């Protein structure tokens, strides 16, 4: 698997995004005129695993770790953008105060979307650079229909712009906190990924680079099963390692050996595969 440092350096140096499908100038008629499912391309922030004995109830987090956009776009502060329709009031504005995180899965090329929507937590402003030349050529409207941290849907109408930008490795606050929880499943137990956003647990997808295109790693297991009779045991899930020592009724004792690795790429989605 590629190391995150080398990936970030290459992406930041050349302003190459997730998927570059177009080699030259693009007009709005050449963009795919349909709704496009996107997901945040996320990387874990550092987390120190103490290895100390801990306890938690079934369904509670065994640990939590911040996930941030792998890359963020910084629009040129000297350029202003007039947002039309529901995204704005037709007055020129600077986008310097908005965070734009890299997304995964756009068939229209490199796409960054606002981490917090201009008007609400579920509405997004997405900026598109189909030819990866460091200039956003279009913007579009998107929604996170199921909540702020699930996959998002980019609508079909694209407005032309000419907005230079640069990229940087994420340095701001994490987009979401995520970790591993354990549930009872029949006579066994299931450890799985969950998002701490007050909603139901969501699946975690891990990406790998395949010929310059990021694809969901095949065979990713959304959960790891174990039996009380096999304890103690070490579970490994998306790069994290946790030693489960004992289960007593509705609680368990454990040690976090290793958290999510910083050189992994994650996406928040309900089982979606963004290819």
């Amino acid at each position: 698997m590629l190391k995150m440092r080398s990936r970030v350096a290459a992406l930041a140096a050349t302003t190459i995004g997730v998927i570059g499908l177009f080699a030259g100038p693009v007009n709005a008629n050449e963009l795919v005129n349909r709704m496009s499912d996107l997901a945040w391309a996320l990387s874990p922030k550092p987390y120190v695993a103490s290895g100390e004995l801990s306890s938690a109830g079934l369904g509670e987090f065994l640990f939590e770790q911040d996930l941030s956009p792998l890359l963020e776009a910084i629009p040129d502060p000297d350029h202003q953008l007039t947002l039309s329709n529901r995204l704005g009031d037709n007055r020129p504005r600077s986008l310097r105060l908005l965070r734009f995180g890299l997304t995964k899965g756009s068939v229209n090329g490199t796409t960054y979307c606002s981490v917090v929507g201009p008007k609400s937590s579920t509405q997004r402003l997405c900026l598109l650079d189909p030819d990866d030349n460091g200039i956003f050529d279009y913007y579009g409207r998107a929604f996170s229909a199921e909540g702020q941290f699930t996959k998002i849907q980019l609508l079909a109408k694209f407005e032309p712009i000419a907005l230079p930008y640069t990229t940087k490795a994420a340095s701001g606050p994490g987009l979401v906190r995520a970790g591993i929880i354990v549930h009872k499943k029949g006579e066994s137990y299931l450890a799985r990924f969950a998002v701490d956003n007050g909603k139901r647990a969501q699946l975690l997808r891990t990406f790998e680079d395949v010929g310059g295109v990021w694809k969901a790693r095949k065979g990713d297991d959304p959960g790891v099963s174990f039996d009380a009779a096999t304890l103690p045991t070490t579970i490994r899930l998306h790069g994290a390692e946790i030693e489960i020592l004992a289960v007593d009724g509705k609680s368990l004792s454990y040690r976090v050996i290793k958290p999510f690795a910083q050189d992994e790429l994650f996406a928040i989605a309900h089982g979606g595969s963004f290819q």
Side-chain angles (χ1 to χ4, degrees), residues 34-36 38 84-88 113 118-119 122-128 138-144 152-159:
R34 66 171 175 79
M35 296 180 70
S36 175
L38 308 174
S84 62
N85 299 325
R86 294 178 60 184
L87 275 174
C113 293
K119 285 193 173 183
T122 61
Q123 189 170 323
R124 304 270 170 242
L125 167 63
C126 294
L127 306 174
L128 286 74
Y138 302 94
Y139 75 84
R141 186 160 49 99
F143 292 90
S144 302
I152 57 182
Q153 291 183 320
L154 180 64
L155 302 188
K157 185 178 181 181
F158 302 100
E159 299 283 353

Side-chain angles (χ1 to χ4, degrees), residues 39-211:
W40 304 109
L42 302 175
S43 175
K45 286 199 165 188
Y47 177 98
V48 178
S50 66
E52 296 179 354
L53 179 66
S54 303
S55 62
L58 295 178
E60 296 178 354
F61 281 92
L62 305 188
F63 76 93
E64 291 181 271
Q65 193 167 354
D66 284 336
L67 303 181
S68 295
L70 175 68
L71 286 178
E72 293 188 23
I74 307 162
D76 188 334
D78 293 332
H79 287 67
Q80 294 184 324
L81 178 64
T82 299
L83 302 178
S84 62
N85 299 325
R86 294 178 60 184
L87 275 174
D89 49 17
N90 291 318
R91 290 186 298 178
R93 69 179 67 191
S94 170
L95 301 179
R96 71 180 71 188
L97 298 180
L98 285 179
R99 288 179 68 197
F100 290 91
L102 183 65
T103 63
K104 173 71 181 76
S106 174
V107 294
N108 292 308
T110 301
T111 303
Y112 287 81
C113 293
S114 58
V115 173
V116 177
K119 285 193 173 183
S120 71
S121 63
T122 61
Q123 189 170 323
R124 304 270 170 242
L125 167 63
C126 294
L127 306 174
L128 286 74
D129 181 6
D131 50 10
D132 286 322
N133 66 348
I135 297 176
F136 288 122
D137 300 302
Y138 302 94
Y139 75 84
R141 186 160 49 99
F143 292 90
S144 302
E146 298 182 46
Q148 187 170 5
F149 303 119
T150 62
K151 69 180 179 181
I152 57 182
Q153 291 183 320
L154 180 64
L155 302 188
K157 185 178 181 181
F158 302 100
E159 299 283 353
I161 56 175
L163 181 62
Y165 71 98
T166 57
T167 60
K168 67 173 183 178
S171 59
L175 181 62
V176 64
R177 292 185 65 80
I180 291 177
I181 59 177
V182 173
H183 287 292
K184 188 81 163 59
K185 186 177 181 180
E187 298 301 318
S188 302
Y189 298 90
L190 177 66
R192 62 170 300 178
F193 168 84
V195 175
D196 185 10
N197 66 347
K199 297 182 180 293
R200 63 187 181 278
Q202 297 170 326
L203 296 183
L204 181 71
R205 294 294 178 184
T206 309
F207 290 133
E208 62 184 345
D209 189 312
V210 179

Side-chain angles (χ1 to χ4, degrees), residues 259-273:
F260 297 132
Q262 287 180 251
D263 58 1
E264 291 282 341
L265 293 181
F266 296 143
I268 302 299
H270 289 298
S273 178

Side-chain angles (χ1 to χ4, degrees), residues 204-235:
L204 181 71
R205 294 294 178 184
T206 309
F207 290 133
E208 62 184 345
D209 189 312
V210 179
V213 176
W214 291 354
K215 293 188 176 183
R217 184 173 288 117
K218 295 188 181 302
D220 253 357
D221 191 346
V224 175
S225 298
F226 62 91
D227 298 314
T230 63
L231 299 180
T233 187
T234 299
I235 61 172

